[in-house]
Amino acid sequence: TQLLEQSPQFLSIQEGENLTVYCNSSSVFSSLQWYRQEPGEGPVLLVTVVTGGEVKKLKRLTFQFGDARKDSSLHITAAQPGDTGLYLCAGASGGNDYKLSFGAGTTVTVRA
Amino acid sequence: GAGVSQSPSNKVTEKGKDVELRCDPISGHTALYWYRQRLGQGLEFLIYFQGNSAPDKSGLPSDRFSAERTGESVSTLTIQRTQQEDSAVYLCASSLLGGTVGNTIYFGEGSWLTVV
């Protein structure tokens, strides 16, 4: 059983379209991170959010942490083929914030 | 390179054999993590080392799994009497400090283990 549920599992869109990936849990997290992983490589950190309601922008990527710190979303505007990859959310809680619980990931494919 | 280095990148072993996976963290990083990633699943926490503190081994799935770290450098994950369910990618990561806030965790490319 995944502590963090990600949806959708797969997403295929045309270049230039927008997309949103969701990460939900019944647990409260002290921080939540988003990673992108490409085949044969390890995950690469995109962002860390720590405050309920926090919104962070990274170029065309917008990350939001839910008010109750139980959920998060990743929105990509005008997706490009270079955005293709596996997007993972990961939450840390309590005093053990080094121990991340990961969602199963959303595989995003952006077609040229 | 300056990243986290893991070896071997691929390992095929027979059921019942022991395997050792090695991780060279980024120089100067005090924290080191091992995670397991099964096909279609998220990463599972295995073990965490931080400086000279006792490691957090709470994620190790059975007593067949063990890990050591030499000071603040190389770490080895050992799986004894491998089983088919041990087949997965084993990812090592390191960071300058422990935890996630104000700290970036860098992952290696992983060691892909297949038990036949």
Side-chain angles (χ1 to χ4, degrees), chain A residues 42, chain B residues 1-9 19-35 46-49 66-78 89-95 105-112:
Chain B
V4 177
S5 179
Q6 292 188 244
S7 61
S9 54
V19 296
E20 274 192 2
L21 307 176
R22 177 187 169 107
C23 173
D24 283 90
I26 294 171
S27 178
H29 281 192
T30 64
L32 188 145
Y33 319 71
W34 283 97
Y35 282 83
L46 296 178
I47 189 169
Y48 167 75
F49 296 91
S66 62
E68 300 292 334
R69 187 181 185 192
T70 307
E72 292 188 351
S73 60
V74 173
S75 176
T76 302
L77 177 68
T78 302
V89 178
Y90 289 83
L91 289 158
C92 177
S94 71
S95 59
I105 299 172
Y106 296 88
F107 282 86
E109 295 183 346
S111 291
W112 191 294

